[in-house]
Amino acid sequence: MTQAASDAPDRAAVGGRPLTAGVAMLATAVAVNSLLVGGLLAAVSLTGHVFGAWPSPESLNPGLIGAAMLGTAPGLFAVGRARHWEEVRTLLHPLVVVLVGLFAVTLLNAGGLYIAEGGPVLSVLFSLGWIFVLGLFCVWAVIAPALQHRVPAQQRDTAAAPLPAWSKPPLAVLGSAWLGIGTGLLVRPGFWADFVPWDTIASTHRHSACGLSRSESASWAPSPRTT
């Protein structure tokens, strides 16, 4: 038996939904936004200054959100190179949750934004853009995956290349830890504030929680790649 024949079972055709342009464009648009906005927040934070859509007692809070946005950008750019939904769904499903959750948290704490409280002109304009862009992404993140699931599955002849078994427990532990911390800050920010090793405010807790959830989405369940 030849090597090609012995590998045949591993490369058996499996079903898959072709990735729609709407999903690919959503991932790319969020990735570009993450690079621009996340890079800006992280860079300003490194200089020791505070910049964001809401007031923060120190530069670390917006800097962490910017770093989380930067960290997810490479994975989102990779979505555009995928051909089937099954290759990227474990990243796209959490992305939907993060975008919808972050927009909901922003609306619930809208009174704490610079556009409501007033402040420096750049911060007010940034908070206005934050609401507009995030709202657009939120609607897009609901519609695009819904349309994706209407696409019928087809046969594909690419082989799956799953993660090695040893890498799954550390990723599960990391994802669970971030999920627990993020949930605590989101649900009871006043109580969990004492466990955060820096000064912050309640609205910032909730936005930081969504930032942690964004990072958790990148580590919780990475999807199989194809060869």
Side-chain angles (χ1 to χ4, degrees), residues 60-129:
L60 183 59
N61 296 302
L64 286 176
I65 295 177
M69 297 174 72
L70 286 175
T72 57
L76 293 174
F77 276 123
V79 172
R81 299 196 300 268
R83 291 186 296 175
H84 294 88
W85 166 252
E86 287 71 19
E87 301 172 31
V88 297
R89 62 185 176 187
T90 52
L91 180 60
L92 267 298
H93 282 150
L95 177 64
V96 173
V97 174
V98 169
L99 291 175
V100 174
L102 190 55
F103 185 60
V105 168
T106 299
L107 292 181
L108 289 174
N109 295 274
L113 297 176
Y114 276 115
I115 191 175
E117 291 189 348
V121 176
L122 289 179
S123 297
V124 172
L125 293 177
F126 183 81
S127 65
L128 179 61

Side-chain angles (χ1 to χ4, degrees), residues 90 160-169 171-172 218-225:
T90 52
L163 289 171
W166 62 263
S167 67
K168 296 180 181 179
L171 289 173
S219 65
W220 176 251
S223 59
R225 297 176 59 192

